[in-house]
Amino acid sequence: MTSVDTMSGESLRNAMVDRIAADHAGKGLILRPEVEAALRTVPRDLFTPGLPLEEAYDADASVLKKVRGAETVSSVSAPYLIAEMIGQAANALGGLDGAHMLEVGSGGYNASLLRELVGPSGSVTTVDIDPEITRRASACLAAAGYHDVTVICADAEHPIEPIRRYDLIIVTVGAWDIPPAWRDQLTDDGVLVVPLRTFGMTRSWALRRSGDRLVSESRRQCGFVSMQGDGAHEMRYLDIADGVHLRLDEDQGVDHDPAVVGALLGQPREEAWAGLSLPPVTVLGDLDLWLATRLTRETHFVVLSAQATAVSSGIVAPGWRFGTPATLDDDATFAYRSALRWTDRRFDLGAYAHGPAAAAAATRMVEHMRVWVDAGKPTPRLHVCPAHTPDGDLPNGAVLDKRHSRLVLTFTPEEKGTP
Ligand SMILES: C[S@@+](CC[C@H](N)C(=O)[O-])C[C@H]1O[C@@H](n2cnc3c(N)ncnc32)[C@H](O)[C@@H]1O
């Protein structure tokens, strides 16, 4: 590498970290000083071979995507998200110095940051199911001078050999369930940070082990490529219009004709507004889980996702085009959380609906939003219990039965500041 390249790499790296710090501040999060120092130290460009420096240091982009068919199966994750997830882990453990940790999903960059953070008395092991990825990660780690990261090729659905326990497991691939191996490989009060799909929406949860259960301490909004191997779980999609999809995640019995639902989008829409004035840092990812747990009792809860072109053409105007809460009634009435309505840097929440009972569906959704705000914007807490747990031993909340676990979402009144 020439000195000119080194200079520009370093200044681009510092600009990337400045942007991550500003992004954290905008979300009401704190970028821990040691995480910031690690981000300023590790040369990300050594983990993105062949990419221009500007792309290697884009704070918001996942890069080096490996695609199979229409699906991305691997990437080097976006730096802002890696920083948020490491922050979740460090907050839960009160710092990472001396921690023994396992990363699921390799790339090398995240493992190097963690290697910096755990220090000489800690250890980092990273596992990936894809031999091409572990080969590349090993080569990049060696090139960057990180010789003491253990790289393993295996399906992390199962216990990782040699069997041992970790203070921290960070999963960097989208999971639908928590395999028992992850819980069992944690120390007694160890922490699992995992992007987990519930109701078709992914959050990075920091979960602390307590016996045979895990309970969340924080959550962040995120998106990840899906887990492969024995833990893979297919999502169903209804393509209702050009670039507009409904995601069905929990093996729901929805058998609507997508063309019928799509045709409704061409008809005039009904709107309902909550009449609120909320500050920009309001965590709408929490509201969306609240809506899922409430609406699922009343109708089919689905998630709307839309291409940018579908939004710009005006077919749909969702709150978040990568995954917005929506409902599909038996008569095909379709409603979703709409784009926000801004006035003087504050916003109102609304719903748009199409179909025979559109006005009622939009009003129903907005009513749940109002209740969430009136209740003090409760935050979700995720409890992961073993599959055999009887109903009577579950916390009181919305239960999702997965393959290995019974997940329960409860809500607690909003704490001061984001955890
Ligand atoms: C987003 S990438 C990981 C990014 C990486 N941590 C980094 O530093 O940028 C997700 C990886 O998870 C891997 N993966 C998917 N299913 C897996 C499984 N069952 N066990 C282990 N790795 C898996 C994929 O091969 C892919 O490389």
Side-chain angles (χ1 to χ4, degrees):
M1 191 186 280
T2 67
S3 60
V4 172
D5 281 343
T6 308
M7 282 293 294
S8 57
E10 195 174 316
S11 55
L12 285 167
R13 182 157 70 249
N14 283 321
M16 173 190 87
V17 182
D18 293 345
R19 190 171 148 65
I20 291 172
D23 182 61
H24 269 62
K27 292 173 177 165
L29 304 174
I30 291 165
L31 181 60
R32 294 172 67 102
E34 75 275 24
V35 177
E36 177 171 349
L39 288 163
R40 291 197 191 277
T41 303
V42 176
R44 188 171 192 250
D45 51 298
L46 296 187
F47 298 92
T48 57
L51 274 197
L53 282 178
E54 284 75 12
E55 287 180 40
Y57 287 110
D58 183 339
D60 302 327
S62 59
V63 291
L64 289 198
K65 296 191 174 133
K66 180 172 172 181
V67 177
R68 196 173 295 141
E71 208 192 332
T72 303
V73 292
S74 181
S75 66
V76 173
S77 307
Y80 88 89
L81 184 50
I82 285 181
E84 285 190 25
M85 292 174 72
I86 293 178
Q88 285 184 280
N91 289 349
L93 290 171
L96 296 179
D97 192 29
H100 297 281
M101 60 106 15
L102 172 71
E103 178 196 39
V104 175
S106 309
Y109 178 60
N110 192 35
S112 313
L113 293 170
L114 290 160
R115 185 57 264 180
E116 292 285 341
L117 287 159
V118 300
S121 58
S123 68
V124 177
T125 301
T126 181
V127 56
D128 202 290
I129 197 169
D130 184 338
E132 188 184 329
I133 301 299
T134 48
R135 267 197 302 275
R136 192 189 71 209
S138 298
C140 293
L141 284 161
Y146 293 98
H147 299 288
D148 50 0
V149 172
T150 306
V151 183
I152 296 174
C153 186
D155 183 346
E157 169 80 1
H158 307 292
I160 302 302
E161 303 281 351
I163 303 291
R164 57 172 291 193
R165 299 210 292 169
Y166 299 92
D167 305 302
L168 169 66
I169 300 178
I170 292 196
V171 180
T172 63
V173 61
W176 179 77
D177 194 4
I178 307 291
W182 295 351
R183 180 200 59 216
D184 295 345
Q185 286 177 112
L186 285 176
T187 51
D188 290 346
D189 58 354
V191 169
L192 171 68
V193 177
V194 56
L196 180 71
R197 256 173 26 227
T198 54
F199 298 103
M201 296 179 287
T202 304
R203 303 285 180 269
S204 166
W205 297 94
L207 299 155
R208 186 181 298 281
R209 181 174 183 180
S210 169
D212 62 359
R213 297 186 178 200
L214 298 159
V215 182
S216 71
E217 299 197 350
S218 68
R219 71 280 162 229
R220 305 277 182 266
Q221 197 141 344
C222 67
F224 265 95
V225 300
S226 296
M227 185 132 157
Q228 306 167 44
D230 292 344
H233 181 269
E234 291 287 310
M235 211 144 35
R236 255 180 77 204
Y237 289 93
L238 289 187
D239 298 338
I240 58 171
D242 214 14
V244 185
H245 320 277
L246 301 184
R247 293 207 294 254
L248 301 151
D249 195 29
E250 309 292 351
D251 304 326
Q252 294 157 294
V254 170
D255 49 14
H256 292 66
D257 180 348
V260 171
V261 183
L264 292 176
L265 293 179
Q267 295 175 16
R269 71 179 182 215
E270 293 285 345
E271 305 183 3
W273 291 94
L276 299 164
S277 173
L278 296 168
V281 288
T282 311
V283 183
L284 294 179
D286 292 352
L287 167 66
D288 289 349
L289 285 175
W290 172 272
L291 290 175
T293 56
R294 268 63 195 165
L295 290 164
T296 207
R297 297 178 194 152
E298 298 167 11
T299 181
H300 301 292
F301 178 82
V302 296
V303 176
L304 168 67
S305 69
Q307 309 275 341
T309 46
V311 175
S312 57
S313 73
I315 308 174
V316 284
W320 194 49
R321 74 177 182 85
F322 301 100
T324 285
T327 55
L328 194 51
D329 294 343
D330 286 334
D331 65 1
T333 295
F334 172 60
Y336 59 92
R337 184 165 76 70
S338 71
L340 308 177
R341 189 159 69 183
W342 288 89
T343 316
D344 298 334
R345 296 181 46 75
R346 295 180 75 87
F347 66 86
D348 191 9
L349 295 165
Y352 293 158
H354 302 260
T363 304
R364 173 181 63 195
M365 189 175 274
V366 157
E367 199 45 53
H368 286 297
M369 298 177 191
R370 229 182 261 127
V371 172
W372 179 71
V373 173
D374 288 348
K377 301 189 216 103
T379 54
R381 174 154 289 173
L382 180 69
H383 308 253
V384 182
C385 307
H388 56 74
T389 311
D391 285 352
D393 292 347
L394 293 175
N396 192 12
V399 180
L400 280 179
D401 283 312
K402 306 263 177 168
R403 248 178 241 146
H404 305 295
S405 348
R406 307 197 74 186
L407 305 184
V408 185
L409 270 173
T410 59
F411 285 84
T412 50
E414 192 183 41
E415 297 111 327
K416 292 267 171 276
T418 310

